Amino acid sequence: MLKKVFILNGNLEQRHYVIQKIKDSLDKKDIYICDNECSFDYVQQVILDNPCFDEKKIIIINDLPFLSDDKKSSDRNKVLNKFKKILKVSSDDCIVVFNGLAISSKSFLDDIADISKVFNFPIKEEKSYCKKYIQDYLKENDKNMDVSLMSVFLDFISPNDKYVNIDKLNTFIKKLNNYIGDRKNILKEDIDAIFSDSNDYIIWNLIKNLDDHNIENSLALVDQMLSGVDAIEPEIVKTIMMLINRYRMILFSSDGFLKKRDKDTIWKSLSSLNKWEKKGSGQKRSVSPKKNKNGGDEKMYSSGYFNGIFYNNNQKNAPLFSYSRTHLCEILYFLQNILIKIRSGCSDAEVRNVFELTCLVICGYVNIRSLKEVQKNNYII
Amino acid sequence: MNFEVNNKQFYDSLKSVFDVSVKNTTEDFDSAEKITMYIKDSSINVTAHSGTVAIIQKISNENTDGLGYQCIEEGLITVQSRNLMSTLESIPPQEKIKVFLNKTDGDFGSLNLTFGQNNRDSQTIPLLKSEVFIPEISKSFQQEIEINKEIFHDAFKKINFAVGDEPTRPKYMYAIVDCYDDQVDFITGSGARFVLNTIEGKTFLKKNKTGKERFIFPRNSIPSLLSVLNLSNDENIQIKESIGQKNSPDQILIKLADTIIVLLGIDFSVKTQYSDVMSIFKQDHPYKLNVHIDELLFPLKGIRATYNEDCKRVKQIHNVELDFDFQKSVFYFKADFQMKSSRCIGFIENKENKLKDNISFRANSAYLKEITQMGFYSGDIIIRFASSDKPVVIDYPEMENSQKLIKENLSLFFTTSKI
């Protein structure tokens, strides 16, 4: 006998598998999908309406509904408490699936324990496990990939991290499988091709090449990044902001290590930094910590991002150890200055030149002396 | 391109095409909100395409009284439909207008309209580069019927309000038209409430095949379709369905004398997926009672009055209680919110009633409200149901139209709720 409530957390593939199993197990069914546009009253009505055609109802809740009197800031616990009450009186013909809502409220889970089943699927897995996962998938699809290529593939999906997001992995492995069509063997060119149009891939690949001080690849990636964009300046400014954040974190960590602090202590300090956002306009304008979906403060750095700078990618130096402290200061100084310069008004060609110069600075091809020379000639900064 | 035409008749002829071009258009669809006119020697062929509905209409002196069309030079032009209609609206209806091209004005030239004494007044409309794209019209059809236009339009209009609007439940975003030999069932519903309008008659429908043929009409095409049918003077329309043709997309074709409407983007799997609503409508319910519709009018207004603005702020769904007392032959509508209502209605037991146990259930007041909004203001309605957790069916009195030789039976059913 099926439970009345399913709580599915974790990766998409396994959640979909369970939902499909539920659907397959029922002959006559009517499926409702609720998202954040649905009010709680609507969802409640759907759950408590008697079915018209003796069918079973599957109600898939992809986002918690809002409360009618409190649309903008419906409290998650308040909504779950309301759910608790109606789930207890709903009929056995109605199956409610909380899909990917990361529900961990103990009181909610305890109260509906006898009518519910909880599935907690992993969100990320270690790369070593993922290799086995890829192998199984490819075997099932009669495809073949060299183990060394798998490492490259996984590094593209999750650079500078020993974990890989399962959803991302599934997306890309399916994309790769579709891309090669009937061909059996997967080549490095295939991997390059499926990632090449992804902006994330280009940016992360650029970062990897900057960390490896590979100026040739870096400039090629800048070229790739800017080809086909509507406007160069916003793209470059976004990348510079991201680089500033990254090098600030590396400098902060590097400084911590010089002061003999351990990794956990450094992370403790870094993890307290919030993202900020502007609100209002004119005199009412203010700056405050940016809020995430759950109402908490959005953090500047994630633990995965932080751990990535310690990760020894492709047997070369980890990003943290690829730069001297002086070099990091130079990079940050340069990035801050060109950001001001670009924002004060530059042509597209100037913006592009300046960013390529940035790559030269990061890769160590231009040092402080050259920078001063550039400054003396009033070229850009 | 150069022609002359009487403004009022030209404007009226373009209304159907205009409606198609602007109603429920597909976002970013290039042909939407445009009208292309093929100016020919004896007629103007006008086309528009909203993304899911395309229309091809022939306007000529033969099919439009007083059009006064005179082609001086043939040609093809495309304009924004709103620009064209607002321009024609700005010209006195009785005026004869001269329409010609000015190739040097704007990016792609402009359409000049001159009128008034010695043509001294003028309006221009910029021309568009790309014309309205009309998909390939299918030449072979799996299903085909011919039906009286007015009957089809009126019957469809009565059930249109109930068509579903939830994209997550796409099968209910269609209206179903089931054609039998002497009967057509028009069905719409949202999943929790369904309406059926059955038209019976010997002469209003012509079919090539015997037995049931199901046509489906997507929600977003219905306003344009009804609007075109409403404006047409034709007696009959042909409805044809074409699925899986090589060179043309899946489509439903509605053919009038000088107009073709093409419905596109239809998920034909809905034909088989749609719920078996007839199993409810045809069910022999144990509870069956007759109520005069006038008796419901004010009590239902009283119930809806309790759904005031304060109530709406905290409740999106307004469920009320229905208590049936078979000993006293009355039932109550009860609403208990900030405002309360308790209204008693007398009923007469139907001679086919089998159960006399008192029963109560809850139902959405929005569905109850619709009972008195179906256009019937006289006669007894039959309320029937099986139990408190099964749908409640309402049958309206049969209407006979002796002029058109048809009988019309309207019914609806809605679900009940646990709270």
Side-chain angles (χ1 to χ4, degrees):
Chain A
M1 170 109 176
L2 273 180
K3 291 275 186 187
K4 274 197 325 189
V5 183
F6 286 84
I7 295 166
L8 312 181
N9 299 324
N11 71 74
L12 196 73
E13 187 89 358
Q14 285 175 288
R15 282 191 277 125
H16 278 191
Y17 178 78
V18 175
I19 292 173
Q20 195 54 47
K21 280 272 169 199
I22 297 170
K23 287 181 186 172
D24 292 346
S25 67
L26 302 173
D27 269 348
K28 280 178 82 181
K29 57 196 168 261
D30 210 357
I31 298 164
Y32 295 76
I33 297 164
C34 302
D35 55 21
N36 59 0
E37 293 291 308
C38 295
S39 70
F40 181 80
D41 283 349
Y42 169 78
V43 180
Q44 173 180 270
Q45 185 80 3
V46 168
I47 293 172
L48 297 178
D49 263 356
N50 296 309
C52 284
F53 306 101
D54 294 328
E55 74 282 20
K56 293 218 175 197
K57 278 189 280 190
I58 304 174
I59 298 150
I60 301 167
I61 298 171
N62 289 330
D63 277 302
L64 278 185
F66 62 87
L67 300 174
S68 300
D69 55 342
D70 195 16
K71 188 168 181 175
K72 278 184 185 161
S73 58
S74 286
D75 182 79
R76 200 175 155 88
N77 287 333
K78 217 166 150 184
V79 178
L80 288 176
N81 274 334
K82 281 186 167 263
F83 263 117
K84 220 157 52 180
K85 285 175 194 160
I86 58 163
L87 292 174
K88 282 180 180 169
V89 296
S90 68
S91 85
D92 291 342
D93 292 336
C94 176
I95 293 162
V96 180
V97 182
F98 291 93
N99 182 27
L101 299 178
I103 294 173
S104 55
S105 160
K106 199 173 174 311
S107 77
F108 176 74
L109 296 175
D110 286 350
D111 281 1
I112 59 161
D114 51 335
I115 54 164
S116 68
K117 195 167 169 75
V118 181
F119 290 90
N120 286 314
F121 299 116
I123 292 172
K124 53 186 184 177
E125 291 282 8
E126 275 199 44
K127 282 183 176 167
S128 53
Y129 170 86
C130 292
K131 281 182 188 169
K132 174 86 179 58
Y133 185 87
I134 295 170
Q135 256 170 352
D136 290 346
Y137 179 87
L138 294 176
K139 200 176 166 186
E140 233 173 73
N141 288 278
D142 197 25
K143 298 278 183 326
N144 191 26
M145 194 202 291
D146 196 78
V147 180
S148 63
L149 265 187
M150 280 184 204
S151 303
V152 175
F153 180 68
L154 290 170
D155 279 348
F156 276 152
I157 299 172
S158 187
N160 302 333
D161 199 349
K162 65 176 179 176
Y163 292 98
V164 177
N165 182 301
I166 303 282
D167 289 337
K168 250 182 163 180
L169 175 63
N170 277 317
T171 308
F172 280 111
I173 192 81
K174 281 176 191 164
K175 192 174 174 184
L176 186 62
N177 187 35
N178 290 338
Y179 178 77
I180 66 162
D182 295 334
R183 189 151 44 84
K184 201 173 172 180
N185 286 327
I186 294 166
L187 310 170
K188 169 79 167 66
E189 290 75 35
D190 299 324
I191 296 172
D192 286 340
I194 66 152
F195 284 101
S196 60
D197 57 346
S198 146
N199 204 35
D200 277 356
Y201 157 78
I202 296 169
I203 300 281
W204 285 109
N205 211 7
L206 174 66
I207 286 172
K208 204 170 78 175
N209 278 285
L210 290 174
D211 288 344
D212 292 344
H213 303 327
N214 186 335
I215 189 65
E216 200 183 328
N217 282 356
S218 301
L219 293 180
L221 283 162
V222 171
D223 194 55
Q224 202 179 338
M225 181 173 86
L226 299 179
S227 65
V229 296
D230 290 339
I232 286 181
E233 190 190 310
E235 200 63 34
I236 294 285
V237 168
K238 197 172 78 185
T239 312
I240 292 171
M241 297 286 284
M242 198 262 296
L243 290 175
I244 289 173
N245 271 342
R246 179 176 163 78
Y247 287 108
R248 191 194 287 144
M249 179 177 70
I250 297 176
L251 180 64
F252 194 99
S253 307
S254 165
D255 210 41
F257 268 97
L258 285 174
K259 288 173 182 162
K260 310 272 183 213
R261 288 182 190 140
D262 60 24
K263 193 178 157 189
D264 290 343
T265 316
I266 297 169
W267 171 236
K268 208 174 162 186
S269 314
L270 270 174
S271 62
S272 64
L273 300 176
N274 296 324
K275 273 190 182 173
W276 293 77
E277 67 179 345
K278 291 174 200 154
K279 278 182 185 165
S281 58
Q283 286 185 329
K284 288 184 178 171
R285 192 167 167 167
S286 66
V287 179
S288 56
K290 196 175 176 182
K291 298 290 173 194
N292 59 25
K293 245 174 42 178
N294 301 330
D297 292 340
E298 199 167 313
K299 297 295 171 191
M300 180 83 86
Y301 303 112
S302 70
S303 58
Y305 194 41
F306 172 69
N307 285 327
I309 63 169
F310 296 90
Y311 182 66
N312 200 342
N313 188 23
N314 288 346
Q315 306 308 313
K316 291 187 180 171
N317 281 341
L320 179 63
F321 308 111
S322 299
Y323 305 93
S324 68
R325 201 169 174 281
T326 319
H327 192 183
L328 284 168
C329 291
E330 275 180 15
I331 292 170
L332 275 169
Y333 170 79
F334 194 79
L335 286 168
Q336 303 277 11
N337 276 283
I338 61 160
L339 186 63
I340 294 164
K341 180 69 188 173
I342 289 172
R343 282 180 165 169
S344 64
C346 282
S347 69
D348 278 355
E350 281 173 329
V351 173
R352 190 192 168 119
N353 284 342
V354 164
F355 191 71
E356 285 176 351
L357 190 60
T358 310
C359 294
L360 288 166
V361 171
I362 296 171
C363 290
Y365 284 76
V366 179
N367 56 25
I368 284 282
R369 195 182 301 162
S370 335
L371 278 172
K372 282 185 176 164
E373 200 62 33
V374 170
Q375 202 170 19
K376 200 164 70 186
N377 292 333
N378 201 17
Y379 173 60
I380 186 75
I381 46 178
Chain B
M1 196 284 304
N2 194 335
F3 68 94
E4 285 181 16
V5 73
N6 287 328
N7 185 33
K8 183 186 181 308
Q9 288 76 5
F10 186 47
Y11 176 80
D12 289 344
S13 305
L14 287 171
K15 273 181 184 167
S16 304
V17 183
F18 173 68
D19 279 347
V20 170
S21 78
V22 296
K23 275 186 181 163
N24 292 331
T25 53
T26 305
E27 205 176 334
D28 295 332
F29 182 64
D30 189 51
S31 292
E33 305 201 352
K34 288 180 183 176
I35 285 180
T36 291
M37 292 192 274
Y38 298 83
I39 313 303
K40 293 186 170 180
D41 189 37
S42 59
S43 67
I44 304 172
N45 288 0
V46 195
T47 58
H49 192 345
S50 69
T52 51
V53 185
I55 184 167
I56 306 159
Q57 190 183 348
K58 187 178 170 185
I59 303 171
S60 68
N61 292 329
E62 281 75 47
N63 64 19
T64 314
D65 285 342
L67 182 68
Y69 173 66
Q70 198 188 341
C71 175
I72 296 153
E73 189 189 348
E74 292 190 341
L76 186 150
I77 49 153
T78 303
V79 289
Q80 285 285 352
S81 52
R82 289 181 204 278
N83 287 348
L84 177 63
M85 295 310 268
S86 61
T87 301
L88 294 179
E89 276 165 17
S90 75
I91 300 170
Q94 71 280 4
E95 290 288 346
K96 182 146 195 133
I97 48 176
K98 287 187 172 193
V99 185
F100 56 94
L101 282 185
N102 179 353
K103 287 182 181 167
T104 55
D105 184 23
D107 292 338
F108 309 109
S110 71
L111 194 66
N112 282 24
L113 292 88
T114 59
F115 52 96
Q117 206 178 5
N118 300 324
N119 287 319
R120 63 186 179 189
D121 294 325
S122 71
Q123 291 276 143
T124 70
I125 305 167
L127 292 180
L128 301 175
K129 190 183 173 190
S130 60
E131 60 198 76
V132 168
F133 163 77
I134 294 290
E136 187 85 25
I137 306 285
S138 188
K139 288 182 179 65
S140 64
F141 301 92
Q142 285 81 35
Q143 291 189 159
E144 209 171 327
I145 58 157
E146 190 174 321
I147 188 167
N148 180 286
K149 186 218 77 176
E150 204 177 330
I151 294 172
F152 181 85
H153 173 266
D154 294 351
F156 209 126
K157 208 176 161 190
K158 277 183 190 158
I159 52 120
N160 185 27
F161 77 95
V163 66
D165 61 356
E166 293 171 46
T168 54
R169 313 187 72 207
K171 68 179 174 183
Y172 296 126
M173 290 179 76
Y174 284 81
I176 307 288
V177 177
D178 284 338
C179 301
Y180 300 88
D181 296 343
D182 297 321
Q183 179 187 322
V184 180
D185 290 342
F186 296 82
I187 303 160
T188 51
S190 63
R193 178 261 285 113
F194 290 86
V195 186
L196 163 73
N197 194 6
T198 300
I199 310 289
E200 282 175 271
K202 297 273 180 203
T203 55
F204 78 104
L205 175 70
K206 283 180 199 159
K207 286 175 78 221
N208 293 341
K209 296 177 197 165
T210 53
K212 178 179 163 183
E213 286 180 279
R214 172 168 279 189
F215 291 89
I216 57 171
F217 296 85
R219 177 192 163 84
N220 56 3
S221 71
I222 297 171
S224 305
L225 175 62
L226 290 179
S227 164
V228 175
L229 295 182
N230 187 36
L231 292 165
S232 160
N233 295 320
D234 295 343
E235 192 181 341
N236 292 323
I237 55 168
Q238 289 175 359
I239 303 174
K240 304 174 178 192
E241 181 187 279
S242 169
I243 312 173
Q245 299 300 308
K246 252 187 184 176
N247 301 319
S248 55
D250 293 353
Q251 57 193 260
I252 290 176
L253 206 81
I254 294 120
K255 203 166 178 284
L256 292 96
D258 292 302
T259 306
I260 296 171
I261 305 161
V262 191
L263 310 186
L264 299 150
I266 302 164
D267 177 6
F268 283 102
S269 68
V270 169
K271 286 172 84 167
T272 50
Q273 282 172 7
Y274 206 82
S275 303
D276 179 16
V277 292
M278 297 315 281
S279 65
I280 308 286
F281 283 119
K282 287 187 173 169
Q283 198 177 328
D284 183 18
H285 291 93
Y287 286 102
K288 221 168 188 178
L289 45 106
N290 292 19
V291 182
H292 198 279
I293 194 145
D294 284 349
E295 300 276 317
L296 295 175
L297 198 61
F298 289 103
L300 283 175
K301 280 186 177 175
I303 287 294
R304 282 301 280 183
T306 65
Y307 194 36
N308 64 359
E309 290 307 311
D310 287 340
C311 187
K312 278 179 193 165
R313 260 194 291 278
V314 291
K315 276 193 112 44
Q316 280 212 331
I317 311 282
H318 187 244
N319 284 345
V320 296
E321 197 166 324
L322 284 90
D323 289 337
F324 290 82
D325 186 335
F326 278 79
Q327 279 69 53
K328 293 178 184 165
S329 288
V330 291
F331 70 94
Y332 293 89
F333 285 130
K334 287 178 182 169
D336 186 1
F337 301 97
Q338 184 201 43
M339 289 167 75
K340 294 177 177 48
S341 174
S342 176
R343 307 292 286 254
C344 179
I345 298 123
F347 67 79
I348 301 165
E349 239 178 85
N350 191 288
K351 57 185 177 195
E352 291 170 21
N353 186 50
K354 291 171 195 141
L355 287 176
K356 292 186 176 194
D357 303 334
N358 290 351
I359 187 168
S360 54
F361 50 81
R362 293 181 71 82
N364 193 327
S365 72
Y367 302 149
L368 296 173
K369 184 184 74 172
E370 286 166 0
I371 298 174
T372 53
Q373 291 182 338
M374 302 289 283
F376 289 81
Y377 299 107
S378 63
D380 281 358
I381 58 165
I382 298 169
I383 301 176
R384 52 191 171 99
F385 45 90
S387 62
S388 62
D389 60 353
K390 296 289 176 203
V392 179
V393 183
I394 310 286
D395 296 319
Y396 289 87
E398 183 175 86
M399 288 208 306
E400 201 167 337
N401 188 328
S402 54
Q403 274 187 326
K404 288 179 186 148
L405 304 171
I406 55 161
K407 283 179 190 169
E408 186 172 4
N409 282 287
L410 194 72
S411 298
L412 63 87
F413 72 78
F414 52 82
T415 184
T416 55
S417 181
K418 285 188 173 51
I419 58 158

